[in-house]
Amino acid sequence: MRWCPKGYGGTRRDPDQVKRDGWHDEGVLAVSVDDHRLTWPERELVRQLGEKLYGPRADEREAANG
């Protein structure tokens, strides 16, 4: 058996479980604008919130300047 420092052993949680725990424990929401579970209006809301808080995405800025 190989020795691992505390916190580095065991199994990894899948990304959705990490996001779910973050929402339940910290009130932090991590969502992709391309999440297939969202309807078009929900994806648009996520996109608008992201742009309001952080500015346009890199790919959108390049297309506008291209």
Side-chain angles (χ1 to χ4, degrees):
M1 181 173 187
R2 191 171 158 194
W3 178 84
C4 293
K6 184 178 179 182
Y8 287 90
T11 59
R12 298 186 77 169
R13 297 180 293 168
D14 67 287
D16 277 334
Q17 184 63 45
V18 173
K19 294 175 189 179
R20 192 175 300 113
D21 291 346
W23 173 248
H24 290 290
D25 298 342
E26 304 295 331
V28 174
L29 181 62
V31 61
S32 171
V33 71
D34 299 321
D35 193 318
H36 69 279
R37 297 170 291 185
L38 301 176
T39 63
W40 179 85
E42 292 166 338
R43 287 192 304 271
E44 185 65 16
L45 175 63
V46 168
R47 185 192 63 76
Q48 290 177 12
L49 285 171
E51 285 184 359
K52 180 176 183 172
L53 295 173
Y54 305 114
R57 295 173 65 190
D59 59 340
E60 292 175 7
R61 285 192 307 254
E62 292 173 8
N65 294 332

